[in-house]
């Protein structure tokens, strides 16, 4: 079946530090890949996505590149801010089947200190 | 454009009781998916409704059931509650069941269910 593995947290960084959160996946075929963010007490918000190999998703300074050869979709940001503190989830959706439901990783808690 | 809304925000039940959670999808969306998020975990897919029919189901027992109404709002019903059902229940809506690369699921804020 499909699965997503994220680097274990929590991750604590100082403001303006470089961020990488690793994500690898197992899936049949070529799924679409997503990063969602969850702020305290809130639901999930889509941060970025990529739908085919070598695509780069980007939003709000965050980037992730769909690497088919390493089955990875690592999240990066060059300079984090305190407001980026949240839980980040990597997810995939198959490109076949009727429901195409999201399969999530276990999440990575990011805390950015001023 | 109205986003996805869920009610209630919080709920406390005792083991063996039944609960109904509600979700209003984003305007124009005809597909609703439900997810269970246990504390410290990623969301797990429960089921999806598309045009009032169940369109897929995750690894959840039959005591988890759902409905979708003609206005595309949805309910999640859980019978015979167990302690392990304590979780954040998330509803997500989309225009279609992610049929194209441009489709996205939009999530509501969730309902926090506590089973005592």
């Amino acid at each position: 079946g499909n699965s997503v593995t994220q680097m274990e947290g929590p991750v604590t960084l100082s403001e303006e530090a470089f961020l990488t959160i690793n994500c690898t996946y197992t899936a049949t075929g070529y799924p679409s890949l997503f990063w969602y963010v969850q702020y305290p007490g809130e639901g999930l918000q889509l941060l970025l996505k990529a739908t085919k190999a070598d695509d780069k998703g980007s939003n709000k300074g965050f980037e992730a590149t769909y690497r088919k050869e390493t089955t990875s979709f690592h999240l990066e940001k060059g300079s984090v801010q305190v407001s980026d503190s949240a839980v980040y989830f990597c997810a995939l959706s198959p490109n076949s089947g009727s429901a195409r439901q999201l399969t999530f990783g276990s999440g990575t808690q990011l805390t950015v200190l001023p | 454009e109205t986003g996805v809304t869920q009610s209630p925000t919080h709920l406390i039940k005792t083991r063996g009781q039944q609960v109904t959670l509600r979700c209003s999808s984003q305007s124009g969306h005809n597909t609703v998916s439900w997810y269970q998020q246990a504390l410290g975990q990623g969301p797990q897919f429960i089921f999806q409704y598309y045009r009032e029919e169940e369109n897929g189901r995750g690894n959840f027992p039959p005591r988890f059931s759902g409905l979708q109404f003609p206005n595309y709002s949805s309910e999640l019903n859980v019978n015979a509650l167990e302690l392990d059902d304590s979780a954040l229940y998330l509803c997500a809506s989309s225009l279609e069941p992610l049929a194209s690369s441009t489709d996205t699921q939009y999530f509501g804020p969730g309902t926090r269910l506590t089973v005592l």
Side-chain angles (χ1 to χ4, degrees):
Chain A
N2 298 330
S3 66
V4 175
T5 302
Q6 284 183 240
M7 66 182 288
E8 295 189 9
V11 174
T12 302
L13 296 173
S14 298
E15 205 165 24
E16 299 184 3
F18 184 85
L19 169 70
T20 300
I21 301 177
N22 290 337
C23 171
T24 58
Y25 68 89
T26 301
T28 304
Y30 303 106
S32 293
L33 301 174
F34 305 82
W35 277 99
Y36 279 84
V37 58
Q38 187 173 37
Y39 297 100
E42 299 184 12
L44 299 173
Q45 298 177 25
L46 178 65
L47 182 58
L48 53 84
K49 68 178 183 181
T51 58
K52 60 183 187 297
D54 299 325
D55 266 3
K56 177 184 283 188
S58 62
N59 186 29
K60 299 180 182 180
F62 290 90
E63 292 183 341
T65 301
Y66 190 140
R67 301 287 187 198
K68 185 181 68 173
E69 63 278 9
T70 55
T71 61
S72 65
F73 193 55
H74 305 322
L75 182 69
E76 296 182 337
K77 187 175 185 183
S79 177
V80 294
Q81 305 300 312
V82 172
S83 57
D84 294 327
S85 297
V87 181
Y88 292 80
F89 291 94
C90 184
L92 69 81
S93 172
N95 281 323
S96 62
S98 60
R100 305 192 185 185
Q101 69 269 22
L102 291 164
T103 297
F104 288 89
S106 57
T108 301
Q109 172 77 57
L110 170 67
T111 301
V112 181
L113 302 176
Chain B
E1 186 177 83
T2 305
V4 179
T5 60
Q6 292 186 242
S7 63
T9 305
H10 296 88
L11 203 51
I12 299 175
K13 292 286 188 178
T14 57
R15 194 170 47 184
Q17 285 189 310
Q18 178 266 342
V19 69
T20 297
L21 310 182
R22 294 179 175 83
C23 170
S24 291
S25 59
Q26 186 162 313
S27 177
H29 286 182
N30 57 20
T31 303
V32 174
S33 302
W34 286 92
Y35 294 82
Q36 180 196 65
Q37 185 180 13
L39 195 62
Q41 301 295 317
Q44 300 285 320
F45 175 71
I46 303 174
F47 45 57
Q48 181 183 92
Y49 278 81
Y50 171 54
R51 296 184 178 178
E52 303 178 57
E53 298 285 335
E54 188 177 289
N55 187 49
R57 189 178 184 91
N59 189 27
F60 281 80
R63 59 189 185 84
F64 285 78
S65 63
L67 283 173
Q68 188 180 32
F69 301 99
N71 66 355
Y72 302 131
S73 65
S74 177
E75 287 182 354
L76 164 66
N77 299 289
V78 186
N79 294 321
L81 284 167
E82 301 177 0
L83 298 179
D84 285 349
D85 296 332
S86 295
L88 181 68
Y89 288 85
L90 295 165
C91 164
S93 76
S94 58
L95 183 56
E96 296 287 331
L98 297 182
S100 81
S101 61
T102 60
D103 290 337
T104 299
Q105 289 193 0
Y106 294 90
F107 283 81
T111 294
R112 172 73 63 187
L113 173 65
T114 301
V115 182
L116 302 176

